[in-house]
Amino acid sequence: MKKLLTNQQGYNLMVVILVSTIFLVVGLSILTMSLQGSIRTSIRETDIKATAQARQIMDEIIAELQQNVSINQLDSSISSEYRLDLKKVDGNLVPISFDPTLKKIIKDKIYGKFDENHLNAVQNLDITELTTKPPYNIRSTDAFTRVYKVTLIVKNQKGKSEALIKRKLERTVILSPTPSFLQYAVGAFDISDNSGLILRGSPNIEGNVFANKLTIQRNARYYERNNSSTFKEINTPLPSILGDIYTTNTKLLDQMVPENFYGKKVPSLKNHSVFVDMNLNQTRLERTSQLIDRQFDEKSPTPNPSLDRISNYLTKQFENLKFKSIKDLLGSLKVPLPGLSSAVSNLGSIVTTNSDLLINDSAIEINNISPVSLKSLQVKGNLTLNSKDPLTITDKLFVDGNIIINNYNTLNIGKIITTGSIKIINAQGILTIKDQILTKQDLSIDAFQPVNILSESIVGGNLNLNPSNTTISVLDNMIVNNNFNITGNSDKNTVENDNTIFNSVIYVGGESSITNVNIKGADNNTKQLVLLSEDNLELFRLNEFNNLDNPKEQLDASGRLKDISEVSNITPLQGYFYTDKNAELYGVGSFFYINGGLFAHNTLTINAIRGSVQSEDTLTKFSNTPTTQPQEQNQKYSRFNVKYDKSVLLNRIDALPIVNSLQVIPDDTTIK
């Protein structure tokens, strides 16, 4: 028994078998993990290849679409069956041939090349029109703009050791007959000496940029308030571009280096881009002619933008009307002020409700001191209207001369047409002009209480909007033959509360200047101003010395830089600003936040620093410490921010400039 207990024969064999089993299990586990890893690696590689292939096919679809619709539709080389008619007919309607032709292009050129019957890698291609559906809601009979969703399902070519991988890509594409500049957040077209896009300092641009010539400099310039002849400089970090840079040439390649960009993040360069330009002066004159045609119910055989048509129209309107002098109306002549030949001390004493008042005198003053409602007021001569009680002119105010309106209560006017200038001072109450304003000379509005302009208008001279602690709303399109100025009060010790609200495309024949004022969009900032100037553009002292509560850059959970709107209550400039010439802007003392875009045909210069600025003394300190400034400003929000808003292509599309081709504007690709 004892021998049996102490006998160890076969024990070593059991140990060997046990150890071998353990090593076998471990080995099999490692082999299994290795095989699974190889399979996962293979699947991942296949997945990457499938995704890359899907992206490539989607890009080729967009490129093919551009090739067929972005060429000049007047080019005789285009086959008639594929030529898009971009000229409106029958009172501003899209020709009936437009949509069938566009659908044929998509069917023959896109489906006929990229669907599952023509590419083995494609399982399904679907192009769905969204033009008339929310949120676009475009009237396809009135506008050429079209919106499509391209859905592409791509499968890999499965090999013996490859898994079947499918990728679904979606991309929204806008087709619009608008000039190319409206596709970019910031840009400049010209390439001559001392022109192009000049970025001094560290602006932040969210969206694509266009430049044929690009200059990047570390030092941002600024001018002191009391010394506009000599600039000072502040050393800063570099520009941040959260988008691609587009150009028509290869001259920018040498500048696409980390040393030229904020955080050493280099944007992609898209060279050999197509840029479709426009003739802004011609467009403005054509729009003027069309607007006058509509207002006067006329149809010129050829475009006729002459504002002499206003004088001719009033002459016809006044024919056969029985005008009376103030003396005839009152039975006696009263002269209250020098230079006024006659006056009405109480409008209510000479009119009845819904009556027509026709006056003929060289200089007339009318005082309203009781509630009155007129159908029309028509005057031959200069008119001064002082309204101290509620006044409504339901139909029209026609004046062959100048108009001055001093308002102290509620004032509603239908339509204003004058051969002279218009000066409005709204001291109290709300003043609303419901229909058109047509003036051969200047329109100037000084507002201390709200003023509303609700219909499209023409200003033959300068347009000056001057809100002071109130709001001027322009809710339709305007044409200004000379200069356009918006000026708020210059009280730098208060928060900016001089406001303008727009839902407008405004064509300007001269310069445009915006100073000390907020530019807001109608309908809770869902609309905007599109400002198109033939001469220089100036944006000055906007949010001057205003700062973010926390100037340090803030990231969301995904690592994305939070937008200015997410970290502050600074009001954005809700608009797209274009000039045919030059613009130089300063996000140094001012804090710029443009939600829309900014483009100059010749030269666009942006100066920008980062961080907070309390006063000019702060800027002087920055200027005197150039070696430390870049580091101190690093990882702080820029004082010049532009965020592209593609809705500029969808709002007021009937009023945007039209060119002879459709631009293809694709959104980001979604991969599922």
Side-chain angles (χ1 to χ4, degrees), residues 391-417:
L391 173 61
T392 297
I393 303 174
T394 57
D395 188 7
K396 55 196 174 188
L397 172 59
F398 287 178
V399 176
D400 188 6
N402 300 323
I403 299 174
I404 297 175
I405 297 175
N406 298 303
N407 184 55
Y408 300 89
N409 211 305
T410 301
L411 175 57
N412 296 300
I413 301 175
K415 178 186 299 184
I416 300 179
I417 299 180

Side-chain angles (χ1 to χ4, degrees), residues 158-172:
K158 183 181 176 182
K160 292 182 179 180
S161 60
E162 291 183 328
L164 178 64
I165 301 292
K166 296 181 181 180
R167 279 290 171 264
K168 181 178 180 180
L169 278 68
E170 292 182 346
R171 199 169 193 181
T172 301

Side-chain angles (χ1 to χ4, degrees), residues 88-125:
K88 290 190 174 182
V89 297
D90 298 333
N92 212 32
L93 296 176
V94 173
I96 58 174
S97 65
F98 176 77
D99 282 299
T101 303
L102 184 56
K103 290 176 181 177
K104 183 171 180 57
I105 291 173
I106 292 173
K107 177 183 177 182
D108 294 354
K109 304 296 184 178
I110 307 302
Y111 282 111
K113 186 175 182 180
F114 296 100
D115 69 7
E116 59 271 21
N117 298 319
H118 297 83
L119 284 182
N120 292 331
V122 175
Q123 179 173 310
N124 186 58
L125 172 63

